[in-house]
Structure formats: structure tokens, C-alpha cells
Amino acid sequence: STIVAGAVLLAKRGIRVFRGSSHPCPAVPVDMVAGTIMEALAGCRRATDPAAAQQPDPRIRHATVDSSQADWIPSFRTLMVRLFQILALRRDLSLPEGGLLLRLLTWSDNETAFWLLDIVANRAPNAILSLLCTVAYCIAFAVGLRSDEWKERCKNIRMLSRYSHLPMQYAPFSSPSSAWQFKSSLRLPADWDPAEYSSLIVRAAVAFAAAASKGGSGAAASTAARAAEASFAELRVVAPRGVVQEALLTFSMPGAPLFQCTAAFLIRRVLQWMDLTVTVNASDLNSLTHLSAPLVLCPTHRSLLDFVIIGAACFELRPQVPTLKLPHVAADAEFSGLPFLGRALSALGAFFVRRGGGAVQPDPALRAEVGRVFRNGRPLEVFLEGLRSRGRRHLRLRTGLLRALRDVAQRSVALVPVALSYELLPEDQSFFDELRGLPRPPLRTLGLVSWVLKGVRGELPSYGDVHVRLGATRVLDASSDLRALLSQVQAELVGLTALSTLHARALAEVLELPAGDVLQATRSAGLRLRPSRLDGWGVKLSEAQRWALALQMAILLRDQLPQQWALWLVEPVFGRTSAPSQRPLSDDESQKSGPEVAAEKDPGALDIAAVARALAAMLEAAEEAGHNAAKQMREGGITAVSEEHLAQQLLDTQDGRGGLPPPLARGAACIVAGALSPVAPATGYDAPPSSGAAGGGGATADGAKPRTVEPIWPAAAQGRGAERRVDTEALDRWGFSDTRFAAQWVDGKPAVQVTSKRYSALGGQPLYQLWAFFQRELAVSMNVRDTLPEQPLPEVPQEPEDLRKQLEAAVPAERVVWDAEARLRAGTGHGLADIWRLRTREADRRMPDAVVQPSSEGEVLAVLQAAAAAAGEEAGGFAVIPVGGRTNVTSATQCPGRAEDPRPFVALDMRGLSKVLWVNAEDGVAHIEAGITGVALKKALAKHGVTMGMEPDSMEFSTLGGWIATRASGMKRARYGNIEEMIVETRVATPTGLLWQRNGGATSSSSCPGTAFGRVSAGPALPGLVLGSEGCLGVVTSAVVRVKPLPEVVEYQSVVFQDWAAGAAWMREVARLPAAVRPASCRLMDSKQLGLSRAIREGSGGHGPVRAALQGIALRLRGVSLGEASAATLLFEGSRAEVAVQKRLLAQLVSRMGGVWGGASSGEAGYALTFAIAYLRDFGLDYRILSESLETMAPWSAIGKVWPAVVAAVRAEHRALRLPGQPFLSCRMTQLYDEGGVLYMYLAVSTAGLGTERALEAFERLEHAARRAVLAAGGCL
């Protein structure tokens, strides 16, 4: 018809302007007059057939609409406007071009203007184009360059030119001066829809235009016409286009800010680099055109691309569907910490939420943020599943955001489910790795930039198609039952998910069935599958992609699978007892999928029931494996089988044959652990890490009630008073009682905080990364509230009455302490076994019967002499154990059992002897009592302008006497030496008196200052006997030590290396330098300790996300990745000349060995953190994470073998013990000697699910395996 012909010419750009009025067109669709036409054709027989003489008048009459219904027919102008709109919606017409055509249509209202426009826009361009094309053809023919192509182009252009006069001929019809009026008996049907009529005309025009592009006839033209007609069912919002065309279409979007246009352009380019085609079901948009309530989009969550694709679709469709403005996305708070990207998302309207905290306490900040964006008037985009689904399962929908929205809105809200159906995902491999137990890589802006650069270089693979379906609108108001509403939303999300032939092939590969048979069975069962262009290309699927697609296909068959697996594939919102059936497809979908469904069933072919049986058999076998593994775990002493722990065992079997595929292992673990748990079944691997304890549910592995943790939101944190420092030492933890690492909810997200500001390197900011670090490195899930319970101190036996009399006779009564806490403190050290038993209150070992706290050397002698005197009596006397700062890690103060030694035991707490007796700065010696702590000693000597230089990690609590008794070393050994190089003389108390060689003055006075000889060759030296004796030969009461003037310069620095091997090689070169030019401290840490240091320093010292990202980029450019790097912290001390020489020599080594200077602030912070890291072990114990350090000296010839041997041995033993997660193993090189280096190794494991003693036994087995490996590799204990 003429109307369709005009639309075809506009669609093909053969014509650019028509004249159209607002009067209705006197026409009806062809199918409505077909009967009249047939009657007229039949009337042609009237002259030859007498019987036909009785038929009606053969002339065509009453074939148009009666004047009474003329307004039901749209005008030509309306039809053209609708054409421009639909072409723009399909991206066949750019918005600027569409705007120009609409403007030309408006100008054509004037007859004179139309006459000029017809010449300028229609006839002249076609004539000029025809002439140019003819010239080009002649030139091409003359030189022999593809003349056939130019000939075809000339033919097409000449054909269009022939129709250039049609707009002028159409004018009386398309733009009559008055409305056409007819009298007719023809009436339009009651369900006549002018919009549908307009759509049919446009669809016909596009189909004819597509056929014309293929020659106008033949199979190719018919195929193109059918494809164009079918394309109206789906709108392509992202499809391959050139850069210029994409920029023109994007930046011409009416009403869109420049920043949104720029973001949309970049996003669309990235999606095109991924070869990702995004389509939206057109009919689904109808429900959004007349919304009166605020819109909330509720999409499935499968990828980080979700909000990108929805945003691109809304940006594209907004001119045609005004309600689809760019939505405010409820993004996870992790995005807010990303440099640049976080700010960009915020500028685009994203708001950040802390997920999971609402279970502890409603978040007032969340409600305020939801209220802010809600009042903005743009739609909201809420991912009700919370987390991206690993394995494409449908996760349980959460209610927190909707509750906040309902409270804030105070009116009805329209919820629209949005199902995003992917073929392949960029995250498929990373999700699969997570299912395998590997840590989730954190979101990083640098990673995104690297990924985009791959797209620019064309290195990204094709990810196939994404199909977007919108569900029915559902109303959320104050009376809504959220769980019932979410159940309906979830059912629709499941039903709207579209699968492709690629999904069927993946399921066939997993089940090891012929792909063609599975596809045929699916079609025969009436299940609709979209054709996949990836499947047509024969793309080879990786294991990660195969399992993701197969699981998504399994959801389609869940009503034929075991119920527990069906509920795992689609987690119910609440206690549903059966899997929902598949939603029937609409007539529209059925018609669209007709060719796929029409296949006839071969009687001998595989049917869908057989496919489901094969899948069910695989799932049941995995579940049986889960029950067997759980049984073995319980037999091995694991009392609480958690989902994570069981999944680990299923993934890594003990027989070396390999475990279950990760998705099956996770599903079986969820089902089996849920059945074994005394509490509610776990919600699956996709639940937030903080929502389920590693030990299973909210109960602790020990059966005790977990402690409650006060949730902290910003409002609750305000108004806190000044910190009150408490300098008392904790009993069952390291360090001061006011300082510890504690986990709590901060802004609704688990974080670790330090309870005091004692250590400036830590600050008071929440450490979100530290909490994530523990979970990632140990591969376990942790629950903030699932900690070891606080319990009263264990009881200790009553002291012997005879002992009280003996001690009070030797020393004043106030020196003797009998209370339980003092006895527990004196009878335990800070080794793991001691602290673990104290923390779990299972300290059933023998403790000292009394604690004596002498304040002078004479009182020490009195106690020892009393013990010796009583030894000859009938009671047998008592034994004495000297105790210093209680920092020993070897259980050195442990009392033997009564069966082994029935005597009473007395602990001699030496911390009362803490004075500096004299200092001789001239001779460089000082006489100091043995009970002084390292920090007090440093301060006291500084008043005299000198320093001893002894700074072990424990210097806040360890004592001079302890250093001597254990032959200790300090962090500044390179400048000041070890303790054996600092000691000149010792005074040792014994039951028979003092041992004192008197090599120098024993006392100091104004006339005769105390001193000591640096070296005496007559006889053996007493310090040589006492060093390392651990109190066996006597009690060290004081010592004369070497001191040096305070350094003129103290400077810090750090160096970063590509990996541990590069850093260790650099340390070897430093060790070759003369001792005088080495830095005072040079310590190398591996990548894990470097990561721990960065997590502890989160947000402090200006180390925000932007600066961290810039540092990461700078290191990347130097070839250093922080995930593999090692770092050395340096401390320079001495005169300015000394330090200058040291720095110059080290700079040469750094340059030669490929190191990168890390800065002085990093070096200082790394040195200061040494004193704070010790608190982390006790934080781990709160969550049943046992950890300890091991130290070894290894020759340079063997040092490279020691650490790999330890790692291999510990991992093998960990696997044999079936412990949860994975061991955390980290190493640092702390000391350099001419002969070798000192390795300080850290080991930590989770013992969730194990009893107290079983946990300690397992850890000691790991320690023993590590020590054996050290010795076998050439190290020493």
C-alpha cells in the first residue's frame, strides 16, 4: 500500500521528507478489505456464468472506513512520527537524524516550504548521488577496480531516484487540505488499536527495506525480511557499531548530562569489545509505560555487568519509555573504596550499602540513603540476592533493602523483576576458583583498567548474548507481606530466565551424553532454547564455563531432581517444601520459539526424563560422597562439621584421585552439613562470609554460647569520650589489657578495630581489609559473633600451709602473693599451648603454689637459701622457678606434675628488681638490675645519653634477665650485636650465695664511678655459663652491659622487590657488606606479610584508596605486583657520616638487584608494626585460629631450601589432619650473619569444629612437621 511504501522509502533514506497533516488517512489494513476484493474478483465470472448474475455488484465499494470512525485511523503525520520513534528505538536511526526528519516534517506544513524542501532534501541529493556513483563506476571500470560493486550501487541509487517525485504526488493524500470523509458500511472491529495498526505498518516497512537490501527477491531477501520482522520482538540495546556512529548515537541522547553520555559511550564500547549483544524483550516494556508508582528494578545478580547492562538499557530506552531513567543502583560498599571508579559510580547515582549488618541492627544510614535517592525521582535498582551467584543458582532473596524502602517511601512502590540471562560471564573462572576454595580476588580499579586495555587490544573473547526480560509489576506498600511478595518475585525471575542451545551442550558435556541427543530431548519436551551464535561457532567451553551453564540448565529440570537439590538450585525465600514448576511461556514466546519446538520426537532418541535421571544420579552420588566424608571427619575428631570444611574435603580427597567438581562439592556440602547441623541449615556457599560460622551456625564448637558484639553504626560511634590508658598486662592475651584487636560491625560490615590508641601505627579506624585478609588467607568463613566465650578463671589448689610459713620467714609477707591470677600468670608463658589453655579455661596443669615478688638482690638470696635449708627437712623443701616478663614461648615456667616432683613450687617474679644502678658513659658500660623491661631500660639509659640497642619484638614486657637466660637477639643486632655481645658481667644468685667475678668496680660513687673490664683472659667467663641457661644454674639479679651514645641520625626506608627470591638475593648481598656499613635493622617480609601490613594500616597515615591505587600503578610500571612482591624495612642509626655511607652502598645494591624504593614512612610503619602484630595471634584465638612463630638460623648454602620445605611439609600434614580451610604460612628474614640468615616463620590454621585439646594436638603436629622440615633442609632449631 502507499502508506507502507512511503515508510519503506524513509527507512531506506531514499526519501527524506513527506508532507503530512493531522487529518486521518482514508485507509484500512489490507486484510480488512480482502473479502471485498475476493467478491470483486468473483464477479468477473458474471458475464460467462449465468449463475453469477445473481451475485452482488462486482465493483469494489464500501472498502474504506466510514466517516463516523475516521478518527480511529492515525494520520500520515502520526504514522511518520511513529516510524521515526521505532527506527530510533531499534538504533536504525540516530537521534540527531530523527530530530532532523521530524523538523523537516514540521516545516513541510507550509506548501511553499515543502516545495523547496522536496527539491533540496529529496530530488537534488538523489540526483547528485546518482551522478557521483555513475562517475565512480566509470572510473572503476576504466581501471578495473571492483566495477561490479559500483555497478550494483548505481542500480540501487537509480532505483531510489525514480521515486524522488513520490512525496509531491503523495501530498494530496498524505496532507489533504481537509479531512477525507466517506460513507461506508464497513466498520472497524471493537478491539481496533490505532497504535497496533501503526506498529504493523512500520514492521512491514522495515521488513520490505531489509528485503530490498538483499536484492528484493529470492531466498536471501525472504530471510532478511523474516529476520527484520522477528527483530521487533526484541530490541538490541547493545550491538556492534562503529566508533563514530556509536558516539553520534550516544552523545545526542536528549536530556542526558555529558558525564552520563561519556560513561554510556565507554560502557558500550567495552561491551562491544566483549562481543556481547544485549537484547530486551519489547513486549515487556508495555507494563512500564503507564506506571504511576515509583519504580524499583529487582534484577538477578550474576555478574558485575548486571548494573552496567541495565544502566545501558535504561539510557537507551528512556526517550521511548520515560519511566526508565538511569536508576540509582544499590551497590556494595566495597565499590566505594575503589579509587576513581567509586567516585564515578557515585556521580552516576549509585549509593553504597553495607550488606549483612541489618541482621544485627537496622542501619539508620541505609534508611537515610534510600530516602535520599528515593526522593530524587529516578528508579531504584536493588539486587535482592545480595551477592553475585556462584554457579548461577538462584539465591534466597533478602528483605533488608525493601524494608528500608517501605519505611522511607510511605507510599506504594512498583517492583519489577528483571531476569538477565547470560551465556558466558567474565567472572566464570573466578567464580569457579572460589568454589574450589581459592580466595576471591578483591575489586581493584587497576584490574578493571587492565581488563579494558585487553579489550582495546582485541584480546577479549566473545561472551555471547544477554537477554533481558522484565516481569509483571508488583506493588510494595505498608500492608505487603514481604516474604510472600519476594516468593512471587523469585518465581518470576526463575521463569523469565532464558536458556540457549549452549546451555544444553554444556549439560550434555557434564553428563557425558551426546549433545545432539540432549538438545533434541529438550526440544521434544517443549522446553524453549534460544539459538546461540557461540554454539554455532563451535566455541570450546572451559570447565568453569561448562559447569556454570550446566547448573543453569539443571534449574530447568529441577522438578525432576531430588528435592534437596532442587531447593539448593533455587533457594526458597522461606520454608518451601517443593520445587516450583516452570512458568508457562506466553503465546508471544511460543510463536517466537516455534521452529525450535516443532521437532518431532524420535522413539529411539533420548528423552528429557532420561537426561534428568542421569543428572539426578550424579547429584545423588555427590551427596553420598558428602555423607562419607562427614563420617570420616567425625571419626578424626571433628565434632562440628561445617559446610565450608566439608566442601574442602570433597574438593581435595585424601587418596590423591581428585575430588568432586567444585559445584557438586559445594552443593553436597550444603545439603549434608545442613542435615547434620543442630541449627537451621546453612543457606549455601553464596551466603555472606559473616553470616555463617565456620563451626556451623551460631553455636560454638565447644557448645558454649557465643559472646555478643555491640554493633556500631556511625551514629552510635559519636560522642565517645577520651581514651583511658590501662598499663596492666593481660593474663590470657599478649600485651596490655586495654589493647586488643576485636571484630565488630562497623557501618553494617564486619571489620577489625583496635581497642586503644596506644600504637600510633594502627590508629583507630575500622580495618575492613584485615577481616577479609583472615578469611581469604585461611580460606574459611568467620562470624563476628562466633568467638570463644568469656569464662571465669580456672581454680587453683590451696597453697600448703608449711610453705606459707617458710616464705614469710624469708621475706616480708607483702612480697608473697597467693591469688589465682598471679599464680596462673607466673606458671604460664606466651607460648601457644599456655595461652590456648588459659583462653579455653582448661589449664589443668600444675601452677606455682606461691609467687614471690622480691625487690632486692638480698630477698632473692633469702628465698633461694630458704628453699635449700628446707630441702633437708622432712617436708622436703620447695622448688624455685625464676620468672621475668613472662614472654617465653617454650613453657619454660611450667611446673612438673606432682607425681614427678611432689615439692611445692614457688615462682620468683623478678620484675621488682628494675633499677639502673649506675652508668659510665665514658667507659661505655652500665650496671642494671635484671628485672627491668626493655622499654623502661631504653628510657632510663636515654636520660644518660646512651643506649644498649637491644630491641627484641617483646621489649615492652621482656626483661634483661630474660634476655640473658634465653640468649636473645634484637632487631638492631647488625649495629649493637646480640645479647652475648652486650654483656660484660653478671651477678647470679644461688642457694649458696652470689656468683660475681668482680672484673671491674662492683659499686659506683662520685669519687669512684663503676666500671667493668671489657675483656679478661684469666679463667672462664661467668656470662658464658649463664647465657642461654634458662634459670637452671641460678637467678640473674643484675648485669653490667655495654652501652653506646645515642645515635646522631635515625632514618627509616623500605625497598620493594618483585618476589621473595629477588628480595632474598638482595639480603644475601647486604650480608656480604662489612658489618660497619650494614643498616642497624634490615628485615625482609614476604608478600603475605606485606599484605597483612597493608591491611593493618588501612586508612592510616594518608594511605587512602587513591594513594594505594597510584602506588600500585607505579609499582606495576616497574614490574612489581603487590600480590607477589616482597619488601625490606630498613633502619639506619649512627653518625651522619655513617648513615650516608650505608645509604649510598645500599642504593647501589637496590639499583643492581632491581628493587624499588618504597619510602621512609613505609619503613617506619613496618618497624613500628612489629610490636603490634603480636596482638593478632590472640585475635585469631578468638575465632579458633591457632598460630605461632618458628625461628631458625640457616646457612646461606641451604637457606633457599628451608622455607619451601616447611611450606610443603605443613600443607601435607594439614591435609592429612583434615583441618578446615588452608594453613597460613608466611616468612620474614630478620637477621643477617656472615654464615647465614635467620628465618622467622609464621603458621596459622583454623581449628573450627575441633575440641580444645584436639585443636592443640593438631597444631602441635603441624609445628613438629615444620621443625622436621627445617632440620632436614639444613636449618637449626
Side-chain angles (χ1 to χ4, degrees):
S1 68
T2 54
I3 299 176
V4 175
V8 171
L9 289 173
L10 285 169
K12 290 291 292 181
R13 312 300 195 274
I15 296 298
R16 294 152 194 88
V17 59
F18 274 91
R19 188 180 183 197
S21 71
S22 58
H23 299 306
C25 293
V28 293
V30 174
D31 57 349
M32 294 192 63
V33 297
T36 304
I37 294 174
M38 294 303 296
E39 289 179 359
L41 292 176
C44 295
R45 296 176 299 164
R46 188 174 185 182
T48 59
D49 187 356
Q54 304 301 322
Q55 298 296 324
D57 190 344
R59 291 172 296 177
I60 300 177
R61 302 184 181 190
H62 306 289
T64 188
V65 178
D66 186 75
S67 59
S68 63
Q69 292 183 326
D71 291 339
W72 290 25
I73 302 297
S75 66
F76 195 84
R77 176 190 291 273
T78 301
L79 291 173
M80 294 303 102
V81 170
R82 182 61 59 90
L83 172 68
F84 299 152
Q85 288 177 335
I86 293 181
L87 290 179
L89 189 64
R90 290 168 44 85
R91 304 290 275 189
D92 293 331
L93 181 69
S94 70
L95 290 177
E97 187 180 5
L100 176 61
L101 293 178
L102 288 172
R103 183 60 59 88
L104 293 176
L105 185 63
T106 303
W107 289 343
S108 298
D109 287 344
N110 182 280
E111 186 174 358
T112 303
F114 172 68
W115 184 81
L116 292 173
L117 288 174
D118 181 56
I119 296 174
V120 173
N122 292 335
R123 304 189 186 196
N126 286 348
I128 294 172
L129 188 61
S130 178
L131 177 62
L132 292 176
C133 191
T134 302
V135 173
Y137 165 68
C138 294
I139 295 173
F141 180 78
V143 299
L145 295 177
R146 297 188 297 181
S147 59
D148 292 340
E149 293 184 12
W150 281 106
K151 183 178 181 180
E152 185 65 25
R153 290 173 184 170
C154 289
K155 176 183 176 182
N156 293 334
I157 292 174
R158 282 196 296 270
M159 180 184 67
L160 291 176
S161 298
R162 288 200 299 267
Y163 298 105
S164 298
H165 62 282
L166 288 181
M168 186 62 70
Q169 295 178 353
Y170 270 31
F173 173 78
S174 62
S175 181
S177 57
S178 61
W180 291 83
Q181 300 289 335
F182 295 92
K183 291 292 184 179
S184 173
S185 61
L186 181 64
R187 294 293 184 269
L188 296 174
D191 59 351
W192 171 267
D193 187 347
E196 184 179 358
Y197 169 60
S198 303
S199 176
L200 288 171
I201 291 175
V202 173
R203 290 168 68 169
V206 171
F208 278 117
S213 66
K214 297 296 183 181
S217 63
S222 299
T223 301
R226 286 196 300 270
E229 172 66 17
S231 67
F232 279 88
E234 295 178 356
L235 300 175
R236 286 195 173 190
V237 295
V238 176
R241 288 187 180 86
V243 176
V244 176
Q245 183 184 9
E246 193 70 68
L248 182 64
L249 292 172
T250 304
F251 286 96
S252 62
M253 185 64 65
L258 179 61
F259 183 74
Q260 287 187 11
C261 293
T262 304
F265 174 75
L266 294 175
I267 287 170
R268 296 177 67 86
R269 294 311 302 168
V270 171
L271 294 179
Q272 291 184 41
W273 291 333
M274 299 168 63
D275 191 24
L276 199 67
T277 300
V278 181
T279 59
V280 178
N281 192 286
S283 62
D284 294 344
L285 299 175
N286 292 333
S287 61
L288 302 181
T289 55
H290 303 294
L291 280 181
S292 58
L295 174 62
V296 178
L297 301 174
C298 303
T300 53
H301 203 10
R302 301 291 176 266
S303 168
L304 292 177
L305 292 175
D306 294 342
F307 69 88
V308 172
I309 288 173
I310 293 177
C314 291
F315 182 85
E316 178 78 14
L317 298 173
R318 189 177 65 85
Q320 288 75 34
V321 187
T323 54
L324 279 181
K325 299 177 183 177
L326 190 68
H328 290 288
V329 182
D332 190 272
E334 187 176 6
F335 285 95
S336 65
L338 296 179
F340 313 116
L341 182 59
R343 293 179 180 271
L345 291 175
S346 181
L348 290 171
F351 64 101
F352 305 106
V353 298
R354 306 284 190 187
R355 299 195 181 276
V360 180
Q361 183 188 59
D363 182 6
L366 173 63
R367 280 158 167 72
E369 190 69 5
V370 170
R372 179 185 67 82
V373 299
F374 180 79
R375 289 186 291 271
N376 190 270
R378 285 160 54 182
L380 265 63
E381 182 180 338
V382 177
F383 295 101
L384 297 179
E385 290 175 294
L387 297 176
R388 290 171 291 162
S389 172
R390 276 65 172 164
R392 308 201 193 182
R393 300 186 299 116
H394 285 268
L395 307 184
R396 180 175 61 86
L397 303 186
R398 273 63 174 174
T399 61
L401 270 172
L402 292 187
R403 292 182 189 278
L405 180 61
R406 184 175 61 181
D407 295 343
V408 168
Q410 299 296 317
R411 59 176 295 192
S412 298
V413 176
L415 302 183
V416 176
V418 182
L420 290 92
S421 303
Y422 294 88
E423 289 189 308
L424 301 182
L425 290 176
E427 299 100 323
D428 276 336
Q429 187 59 54
S430 63
F431 285 167
F432 194 74
D433 290 340
E434 287 185 56
L435 293 176
R436 289 167 52 202
L438 299 180
R440 179 180 75 86
L443 295 175
R444 298 188 186 279
T445 302
L446 191 62
L448 176 64
V449 172
S450 174
W451 192 73
V452 170
L453 291 178
K454 285 185 179 180
V456 174
R457 297 192 297 266
E459 298 175 0
L460 294 178
S462 175
Y463 290 95
D465 299 333
V466 182
H467 189 52
V468 182
R469 290 295 312 270
L470 281 70
T473 303
R474 304 185 185 279
V475 176
L476 171 68
D477 55 27
S479 62
S480 298
D481 182 345
L482 274 183
R483 291 188 176 274
L485 182 62
L486 289 182
S487 295
Q488 298 170 10
V489 170
Q490 185 187 59
E492 192 154 18
L493 288 175
V494 174
L496 289 172
T497 301
L499 304 181
S500 72
T501 54
L502 192 66
H503 290 80
R505 174 156 72 91
L507 181 61
E509 292 178 5
V510 165
L511 298 177
E512 298 180 353
L513 295 174
D517 290 355
V518 173
L519 182 59
Q520 179 65 27
T522 305
R523 291 172 173 173
S524 300
L527 302 176
R528 276 69 179 182
L529 297 178
R530 297 166 58 85
S532 171
R533 54 194 176 93
L534 297 182
D535 198 31
W537 295 346
V539 173
K540 186 177 181 180
L541 298 175
S542 67
E543 185 182 13
Q545 294 168 338
R546 185 182 307 116
W547 274 102
L549 293 167
L551 278 185
Q552 198 168 7
M553 185 73 182
I555 294 174
L556 201 65
L557 307 175
R558 66 191 183 283
D559 57 342
Q560 302 180 55
L561 300 179
Q563 179 179 332
Q564 64 274 22
W565 284 96
L567 296 179
W568 180 73
L569 289 169
V570 180
E571 293 180 3
V573 176
F574 62 103
R576 180 180 296 162
T577 57
S578 62
S581 59
Q582 182 191 4
R583 178 189 66 86
L585 277 79
S586 65
D587 293 339
D588 215 22
E589 295 172 297
S590 300
Q591 292 174 2
K592 179 187 169 189
S593 303
E596 290 290 325
V597 180
E600 295 182 1
K601 182 178 179 182
D602 181 0
L606 191 71
D607 62 6
I608 198 66
V611 175
R613 285 195 299 271
L615 178 58
M618 176 181 287
L619 300 178
E620 289 171 345
E623 187 177 345
E624 181 64 24
H627 285 292
N628 293 335
K631 180 180 178 182
Q632 294 173 0
M633 291 169 65
R634 291 195 299 270
E635 291 173 351
I638 297 172
T639 58
V641 178
S642 71
E643 178 185 332
E644 282 291 323
H645 195 176
L646 179 56
Q648 174 198 345
Q649 300 303 310
L650 292 172
L651 288 165
D652 186 15
T653 58
Q654 298 294 312
D655 55 15
R657 294 182 300 175
L660 292 175
L664 292 185
R666 292 291 173 181
C670 177
I671 293 169
V672 174
L676 294 175
S677 174
V679 294
T683 58
Y685 180 69
D686 299 280
S690 59
S691 66
T700 67
D702 306 302
K705 183 179 179 181
R707 69 179 176 90
T708 58
V709 179
E710 177 189 0
I712 295 180
W713 301 103
Q718 296 175 358
R720 291 183 175 176
E723 179 189 44
R724 291 181 297 175
R725 181 169 294 187
V726 180
D727 290 331
T728 58
E729 186 181 349
L731 170 63
D732 54 0
R733 294 175 177 270
W734 172 266
F736 298 101
S737 58
D738 65 346
T739 305
R740 67 172 64 178
F741 286 92
Q744 12 189 12
W745 291 92
V746 181
D747 289 344
K749 187 175 181 180
V752 181
Q753 285 191 303
V754 183
T755 57
S756 77
K757 298 180 181 178
R758 183 181 296 272
Y759 300 98
S760 58
L762 296 179
Q765 67 286 338
L767 307 176
Y768 302 104
Q769 294 179 20
L770 184 58
W771 177 263
F773 180 90
F774 269 82
Q775 295 190 107
R776 181 176 65 251
E777 294 298 331
L778 292 164
V780 295
S781 293
M782 296 164 58
N783 187 326
V784 170
R785 290 166 288 173
D786 184 16
T787 61
L788 287 177
E790 300 289 349
Q791 300 181 35
L793 292 176
E795 296 182 358
V796 293
Q798 184 70 27
E799 71 279 0
E801 187 61 31
D802 292 341
L803 179 63
R804 179 183 291 270
K805 295 178 181 179
Q806 293 172 358
L807 291 177
E808 291 181 353
V811 294
E814 61 269 18
R815 298 280 188 265
V816 186
V817 181
W818 305 94
D819 65 84
E821 181 173 347
R823 293 165 64 183
L824 289 168
R825 188 184 300 276
T828 55
H830 274 283
L832 175 65
D834 289 347
I835 295 299
W836 178 246
R837 289 191 174 103
L838 279 176
R839 291 294 305 279
T840 57
R841 300 304 189 246
E842 294 189 10
D844 55 353
R845 297 181 308 165
R846 186 180 178 187
M847 294 295 162
D849 298 287
V851 179
V852 177
Q853 300 172 339
S855 61
S856 65
E857 188 178 70
E859 291 179 350
V860 174
L861 279 170
V863 173
L864 296 179
Q865 290 169 353
E873 299 177 0
E874 183 177 352
F878 58 89
V880 178
I881 298 179
V883 178
R886 193 178 164 250
T887 59
N888 77 85
V889 294
T890 59
S891 297
T893 59
Q894 178 179 339
C895 300
R898 294 190 184 277
E900 184 178 351
D901 190 340
R903 296 178 299 167
F905 273 75
V906 174
L908 201 59
D909 187 346
M910 296 294 295
R911 289 178 297 177
L913 280 72
S914 57
K915 296 187 289 292
V916 174
L917 300 177
W918 50 260
V919 176
N920 188 331
E922 178 68 21
D923 294 345
V925 289
H927 191 189
I928 304 163
E929 290 186 324
I932 192 170
T933 63
V935 170
L937 174 59
K938 181 179 181 179
K939 292 179 180 179
L941 291 179
K943 296 177 181 179
H944 298 274
V946 295
T947 181
M948 185 177 171
M950 181 65 177
E951 293 188 5
D953 296 0
S954 60
M955 66 177 295
E956 293 174 297
F957 308 101
S958 58
T959 62
L960 174 60
W963 300 344
I964 296 171
T966 58
R967 202 180 184 89
S969 178
M971 292 184 285
K972 300 180 182 178
R973 187 211 66 84
R975 178 169 180 80
Y976 301 100
N978 292 320
I979 189 65
E980 63 266 25
E981 299 167 276
M982 300 177 182
I983 298 300
V984 179
E985 281 283 356
T986 55
R987 287 173 65 90
V988 182
T990 71
T992 58
L994 282 172
L995 293 179
W996 171 247
Q997 289 186 300
R998 301 177 185 273
N999 290 325
T1003 59
S1004 175
S1005 64
S1006 58
S1007 59
C1008 182
T1011 189
F1013 300 132
R1015 182 177 184 274
V1016 176
S1017 59
L1022 179 60
L1025 296 176
V1026 177
L1027 285 162
S1029 64
E1030 299 198 15
C1032 294
L1033 304 180
V1035 179
V1036 178
T1037 58
S1038 64
V1040 177
V1041 301
R1042 293 184 174 90
V1043 294
K1044 293 184 178 181
L1046 290 172
E1048 182 182 359
V1049 175
V1050 177
E1051 292 186 10
Y1052 296 92
Q1053 191 52 266
S1054 61
V1055 187
V1056 183
F1057 299 95
Q1058 188 172 5
D1059 51 27
W1060 172 261
W1066 182 80
M1067 293 285 282
R1068 178 66 185 99
E1069 294 303 312
V1070 174
R1072 286 193 170 103
L1073 295 174
V1077 295
R1078 297 176 193 167
S1081 175
C1082 182
R1083 299 154 70 90
L1084 177 72
M1085 65 178 72
D1086 67 3
S1087 60
K1088 293 194 175 182
Q1089 285 203 31
L1090 181 59
L1092 176 62
S1093 174
R1094 291 170 62 85
I1096 292 176
R1097 297 174 61 201
E1098 178 182 358
S1100 64
H1103 290 77
V1106 175
R1107 179 176 176 181
L1110 292 176
Q1111 287 179 340
I1113 293 173
L1115 290 174
R1116 280 278 190 181
L1117 295 176
R1118 300 290 298 272
V1120 177
S1121 169
L1122 288 175
E1124 301 174 357
S1126 61
T1129 56
L1130 307 175
L1131 170 62
F1132 301 95
E1133 282 193 9
S1135 65
R1136 295 190 181 278
E1138 286 179 305
V1139 171
V1141 171
Q1142 292 171 3
K1143 292 173 67 176
R1144 185 172 66 252
L1145 291 176
L1146 256 67
Q1148 296 173 4
L1149 288 181
V1150 169
S1151 177
R1152 194 172 78 207
M1153 303 298 290
V1156 179
W1157 291 107
S1161 61
S1162 296
E1164 183 176 7
Y1167 189 86
L1169 281 173
T1170 300
F1171 303 108
I1173 286 178
Y1175 289 91
L1176 278 177
R1177 184 191 69 177
D1178 298 291
F1179 170 75
L1181 292 181
D1182 288 339
Y1183 297 94
R1184 302 168 188 82
I1185 298 169
L1186 275 58
S1187 59
E1188 192 56 278
S1189 58
L1190 299 88
E1191 191 172 13
T1192 182
M1193 163 74 181
W1196 291 116
S1197 59
I1199 198 168
K1201 305 173 185 176
V1202 172
W1203 178 236
V1206 170
V1207 171
V1210 171
R1211 286 179 176 170
E1213 189 67 20
H1214 184 275
R1215 182 182 177 193
L1217 290 168
R1218 298 181 180 273
L1219 296 178
Q1222 64 187 16
F1224 171 76
L1225 293 161
S1226 180
C1227 182
R1228 68 167 63 181
M1229 192 180 298
T1230 58
Q1231 303 285 7
L1232 300 177
Y1233 294 86
D1234 295 336
E1235 305 81 10
V1238 175
L1239 297 179
Y1240 207 79
M1241 299 167 284
Y1242 294 88
L1243 164 64
V1245 294
S1246 172
T1247 61
L1250 278 71
T1252 301
E1253 282 302 317
R1254 174 60 180 158
L1256 188 58
E1257 290 172 7
F1259 189 85
E1260 289 175 343
R1261 280 184 57 178
L1262 293 173
E1263 279 189 302
H1264 190 56
R1267 292 191 183 100
R1268 283 201 313 266
V1270 167
L1271 295 176
C1276 71
L1277 293 182

